[in-house]
Amino acid sequence: MNLSSSVRSYALVTLAVASWALNFHLAVPVLKFVPPLAGAALRYAVGGAALLGLMLVGGGFCWARVRAHWVGILVVAGAGVFLFNYAFFEGLQYTSPVNATLIIGLNPVTTMLLATQMLGTRLTPRQWLGAALSLAGVLVVISKGSWDTLSSLSFSRGDVWFLLANLAFALNHVSVRRFLSGMPALETTAVTSLLGLLLLAVPAAPALVAAPYATFPFVGFWLPLLVMGVLGTCLSYISWNRGLVQIGPDRAALFMNLVPVFSVLIALTYGGTVTGPQLAGGAVVLTGILVAQLGAKRKAVPRPA
């Protein structure tokens, strides 16, 4: 992979992560009108419609290719869309956002460990150092540099749900590279999102049917939902899947630790403030990512026929 291609791939995963950070803020007004799991299903309904439109404009699905990759499609849709969202929203009912962010911050390490088993990835000490630095930066960002915040944490069954969500998303990262690198990013995103939507719609069906959509305000509900669906689902997952196939899940996963950093920066547009420790923590996250990228060595994974 040449320099320009590498820069483009890193830019794609960064764009995806920034979009997911924005989702945390956009979800707040949406969840005032619908339960969490119904909100997730509606997000993928909008994103799936946008993806389907892009696929139709581009000539439609290659069903022979979809059939050839059906195992990987099922794993990614089941783990990355359904199981991750289900565990994520279940966990939020029983644990704090700080706990949730901490556990999701373990995703790069979980992904790196899975990559060694499923992809034959060889990890260097520098990668482990980068992952540790990045996680330390996340701790500083979400705690605002307060040891009291971290020392007062307690754990509950909601944290078990988030451990499951963490594992599901790591499996999603590795499976895209392992099973679906032979599919275009747009087709991969479209078919897994649509299948994931069907899986989400089953447990969310009662809330989806009962919601009085005609009474929901455009700016307070429909606009953030549209942005979450188009930008935070359709375009972000296309960017992520395209970049992930190029640079590998072990490198891409570390960028997940930028989610709280971007979330803090986005909060500035809502009148929030950023503290000195949070800025320092963001710098540590970036340092950890850079250290890990310089030390990554991977065994080539053959593309599926």
Side-chain angles (χ1 to χ4, degrees):
M1 184 168 58
N2 58 43
L3 180 60
S4 62
S5 177
S6 178
V7 171
R8 183 168 59 250
S9 297
Y10 286 123
L12 287 171
V13 296
T14 302
L15 174 63
V17 168
S19 300
W20 294 336
L22 180 61
N23 282 348
F24 282 92
H25 298 273
L26 295 172
V28 173
V30 171
L31 296 181
K32 291 179 180 178
F33 297 91
V34 293
L37 200 56
L42 289 170
R43 168 196 168 189
Y44 275 91
V46 174
L51 287 163
L52 188 58
L54 290 175
M55 285 300 302
L56 294 176
V57 170
F61 295 93
C62 174
W63 293 110
R65 186 163 52 215
V66 171
R67 287 193 297 270
H69 294 83
W70 71 270
V71 173
I73 290 169
L74 186 60
V75 171
V76 172
V81 179
F82 172 73
L83 185 56
F84 173 77
N85 281 279
Y86 191 88
F88 184 93
F89 287 117
E90 282 291 321
L92 280 179
Q93 299 180 65
Y94 305 108
T95 192
S96 70
V98 174
N99 284 41
T101 309
L102 284 174
I103 296 171
I104 294 300
L106 297 173
N107 187 260
V109 174
T110 308
T111 301
M112 290 162 68
L113 291 173
L114 276 180
T116 63
Q117 300 300 312
M118 295 179 63
L119 302 178
T121 302
R122 293 176 297 171
L123 303 175
T124 66
R126 187 176 293 178
Q127 279 185 282
W128 290 114
L129 174 61
L133 283 173
S134 186
L135 181 58
V138 170
L139 292 176
V140 176
V141 170
I142 64 175
S143 67
K144 299 181 180 180
S146 170
W147 172 250
D148 290 338
T149 300
L150 295 178
S151 61
S152 63
L153 290 177
S154 60
F155 296 92
S156 65
R157 63 172 174 169
D159 299 309
V160 177
W161 280 108
F162 268 96
L163 286 171
L164 182 58
N166 172 43
L167 179 61
F169 212 41
L171 182 59
N172 171 83
H173 301 332
V174 178
S175 297
V176 169
R177 169 83 178 195
R178 176 66 181 86
F179 299 115
L180 302 180
S181 59
M183 293 180 66
L186 174 58
E187 187 173 60
T188 295
T189 308
V191 71
T192 55
S193 295
L194 290 169
L195 179 56
L197 168 62
L198 293 178
L199 296 173
L200 283 171
V202 174
L208 290 172
V209 173
Y213 299 107
T215 65
F216 293 166
F218 177 76
V219 174
F221 177 82
W222 293 108
L223 182 59
L225 180 63
L226 288 171
V227 176
M228 273 202 302
V230 176
L231 176 61
T233 304
C234 172
L235 299 180
S236 64
Y237 274 99
I238 292 172
S239 298
W240 178 263
N241 289 337
R242 185 171 294 173
L244 186 147
V245 168
Q246 293 297 319
I247 67 177
D250 52 323
R251 290 186 177 188
L254 280 173
F255 284 76
M256 289 294 296
N257 281 339
L258 287 174
V259 170
V261 178
F262 280 123
S263 183
V264 168
L265 294 176
I266 291 169
L268 290 175
T269 64
Y270 293 88
T273 58
V274 177
T275 66
Q278 285 180 310
L279 289 174
V284 173
V285 170
L286 290 172
T287 301
I289 291 173
L290 290 174
V291 168
Q293 305 317 309
L294 294 174
K297 294 181 180 179
R298 297 190 310 278
K299 185 187 296 182
V301 179
R303 285 178 174 267

